[in-house]
């Protein structure tokens, strides 16, 4: 199955929503209450059933030490400068701290929204997207060739943090963990690097989240799920979605029935308003 990405890394926030909430930037990216208010209003504005946080892909990178410029309503958070200049330097990367900075605010926003009765999707980034905000990608790719052992050690630290962050999001009340690794896509890295590094890394993260058990709905970016299927690390299977008119309703309907973790993919969660022409979700099983 081929997947065409129509999403954008940055959540586009309409001017009328900004005016209605009175939230100024960069507060929407850095304060739990502003984040929760904006997520709720965005959901209402779209006529959606799922509230999504955060509104950018830089939260985890910043928690690992990336220097992020938070920007404004027009230009969202972007990397201002890299934390590391070499793979050797990056070998000192520390375990993810969920108790400070913006990552803590995101988790608190999840909790605020869940307690208010919202169905929340926590967007979680994969390792290559996180690492691309910590070091110049050219230096990183050189490291893939010259220091594969160090790269694996760095990936292990980042994978552990992503799993912990996802599980904490579930604990705080997230209905869905939305996982993707846009910088680690097969179309960017090429099949060889994807097969050796990015694919197995995402596979381990998915497995780690699933192993924790509970009513976890893990939604994979269509690029991730189709690539894993392509390199034969996963297979897809149809799940009938009964009584749902939109993709978001189908996801929440499935989440309501869960007794154990399930992974779905082959579509974009930002298409939650999309009509269900066929009443089918695509389950993803790791191989």
């Amino acid at each position: 199955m081929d997947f065409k990405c129509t999403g954008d890394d940055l959540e586009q926030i309409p001017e009328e929503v900004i005016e209605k909430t009175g939230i100024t930037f960069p507060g929407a990216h850095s304060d739990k209450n502003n984040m929760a208010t904006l997520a709720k209003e965005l959901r209402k504005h779209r006529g959606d059933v799922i509230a999504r946080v955060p509104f950018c892909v830089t939260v985890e990178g910043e928690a690992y030490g990336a220097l992020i410029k938070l920007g404004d309503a027009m230009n969202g958070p972007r990397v201002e400068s890299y934390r590391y200049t070499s793979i050797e330097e990056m070998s000192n990367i520390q375990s993810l701290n969920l108790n400070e900075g913006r990552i803590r605010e995101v988790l608190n926003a999840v909790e605020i929204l869940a307690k208010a009765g919202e169905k929340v999707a926590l967007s979680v980034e994969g390792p290559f997207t996180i690492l691309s905000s910590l070091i110049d990608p050219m230096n990183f790719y050189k490291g893939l060739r010259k220091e594969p052992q160090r790269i694996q050690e760095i990936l292990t630290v980042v994978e552990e943090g992503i799993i912990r962050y996802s599980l904490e999001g579930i604990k705080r009340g997230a209905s869905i963990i939305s996982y993707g690794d846009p910088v680690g896509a097969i179309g960017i890295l090429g099949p060889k690097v994807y097969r050796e590094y990015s694919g197995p890394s995402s596979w381990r993260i998915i497995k780690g989240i699933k192993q924790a058990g509970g009513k976890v709905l893990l939604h994979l970016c269509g690029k991730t799920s189709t690539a894993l299927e392509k390199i034969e690390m996963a297979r897809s299977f149809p799940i009938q979605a009964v009584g749902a008119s939109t993709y978001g309703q189908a996801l929440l309907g499935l989440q309501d029935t869960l007794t154990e973790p399930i992974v779905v993919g082959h579509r974009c969660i930002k298409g939650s308003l999309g009509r269900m022409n066929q009443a089918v979700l695509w389950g993803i099983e790791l191989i």
Side-chain angles (χ1 to χ4, degrees), residues 11 35-44 46 48-55 109-110 113-114 117-123 173-176 178 252 269 272:
E11 187 74 62
M35 212 180 289
T37 299
L38 196 53
K40 190 173 181 178
E41 282 305 321
L42 267 172
R43 178 194 62 71
K44 286 182 184 171
R46 289 191 294 250
D48 207 342
V49 289
I50 298 169
R52 298 194 301 263
V53 290
F55 314 119
V110 169
L113 286 162
E118 294 287 330
K119 298 294 186 181
V120 190
L122 173 63
S123 299
S175 298
I176 300 169
S178 172
L252 292 182
I269 198 157
S272 53

Side-chain angles (χ1 to χ4, degrees), residues 80 223 257:
E80 189 162 37
K223 273 188 176 178
T257 66

Side-chain angles (χ1 to χ4, degrees), residues 26-235:
H29 295 296
S30 57
D31 175 80
K32 62 185 178 186
N33 294 307
N34 287 343
M35 212 180 289
T37 299
L38 196 53
K40 190 173 181 178
E41 282 305 321
L42 267 172
R43 178 194 62 71
K44 286 182 184 171
H45 178 80
R46 289 191 294 250
D48 207 342
V49 289
I50 298 169
R52 298 194 301 263
V53 290
F55 314 119
C56 71
V57 297
T58 60
V59 171
E60 297 98 318
E62 186 178 71
Y64 277 115
L67 299 163
I68 304 295
K69 187 175 185 178
L70 291 180
D72 51 33
M74 294 298 292
N75 304 293
R78 290 286 183 264
V79 177
E80 189 162 37
S81 60
Y82 295 115
R83 168 79 186 269
Y84 302 108
T85 55
S86 68
I87 294 298
E88 292 84 1
E89 211 181 292
M90 204 184 203
S91 297
N92 299 317
I93 192 167
Q94 299 297 303
S95 186
L96 193 63
N97 184 348
L98 301 176
N99 299 316
E100 61 182 36
R102 275 202 301 147
I103 203 161
R104 179 189 66 185
E105 296 298 303
V106 171
L107 288 167
N108 287 339
V110 169
E111 194 166 3
I112 290 166
L113 286 162
K115 282 181 175 171
E118 294 287 330
K119 298 294 186 181
V120 190
L122 173 63
S123 299
V124 173
E125 304 308 321
F128 277 69
T129 302
I130 294 169
L131 293 172
S132 72
S133 64
L134 291 168
I135 188 170
D136 185 312
M138 291 311 293
N139 291 344
F140 184 71
Y141 295 134
K142 276 182 203 163
L144 288 175
R145 288 196 309 275
K146 293 180 178 175
E147 302 189 70
Q149 184 57 40
R150 282 196 192 212
I151 293 286
Q152 288 294 1
E153 287 164 6
I154 290 164
L155 284 172
T156 298
V157 174
V158 176
E159 288 164 17
E160 182 272 335
I162 294 168
I163 293 167
R164 227 170 359 98
Y165 178 39
S166 302
L167 296 179
E168 184 61 28
I170 294 158
K171 193 172 153 191
R172 300 295 189 95
S175 298
I176 300 169
I177 297 298
S178 172
Y179 175 84
D181 196 4
V183 179
I186 198 167
I188 293 173
L189 299 176
K192 185 176 185 295
V193 174
Y194 189 85
R195 195 181 294 276
E196 286 178 18
Y197 293 100
S198 183
S201 192
S202 283
W203 188 95
R204 289 189 292 269
I205 288 162
I206 296 161
K207 188 177 183 187
I209 294 169
K210 275 196 79 180
Q211 278 179 334
K215 289 179 60 173
V216 179
L217 177 57
L218 178 56
H219 188 287
L220 304 185
C221 159
K223 273 188 176 178
T224 300
S225 60
T226 52
L228 286 173
E229 192 164 36
K230 196 171 187 176
I231 65 167
E232 298 180 339
M233 292 192 82
R235 67 169 71 92

